[in-house]
Amino acid sequence: MHSIKQLSLDPDKTLIFNMTNSPRFQMRLSTRIFLSILGVTLLVWILRGVGLLTFLPGAVIWILIFLSFVAGILNTLIRR
């Protein structure tokens, strides 16, 4: 059974629950940064491959891939 904490009451007196305080949903800032950079990299790569972002030079993709690797390594080092 999962415990859900009460956050506040709105004007209609209905309960609003905060699911982000659950340990299941908590992520470190470094993990969020890594996943954000990785997501942007994948999105740009897919959109460029489909032909929607063909004006972007290939160097942009390489820079995003490099940033993803660096963020992943830093996330791993910070976690230890």
Side-chain angles (χ1 to χ4, degrees):
M1 187 117 179
H2 300 289
S3 65
I4 300 174
K5 297 178 182 179
Q6 179 182 347
L7 177 63
S8 64
L9 293 172
D10 70 0
D12 298 327
K13 305 280 189 212
T14 51
L15 294 176
I16 299 172
F17 296 105
N18 187 0
M19 295 297 291
T20 58
N21 281 342
S22 173
R24 238 175 91 184
F25 295 105
Q26 286 182 349
M27 274 194 267
R28 292 192 171 133
L29 179 61
S30 60
T31 304
R32 288 184 193 168
I33 292 171
F34 166 66
L35 291 176
S36 298
I37 293 172
L38 185 64
V40 168
T41 302
L42 290 175
L43 181 68
V44 168
W45 187 29
I46 291 170
L47 290 177
R48 189 168 185 262
V50 170
L52 295 175
L53 294 177
T54 55
F55 60 88
L56 284 177
V60 173
I61 300 290
W62 284 110
I63 290 170
L64 288 171
I65 291 171
F66 176 74
L67 285 175
S68 296
F69 277 116
V70 169
I73 291 168
L74 289 176
N75 181 31
T76 304
L77 292 176
I78 289 173
R79 197 181 290 180
R80 289 182 181 193

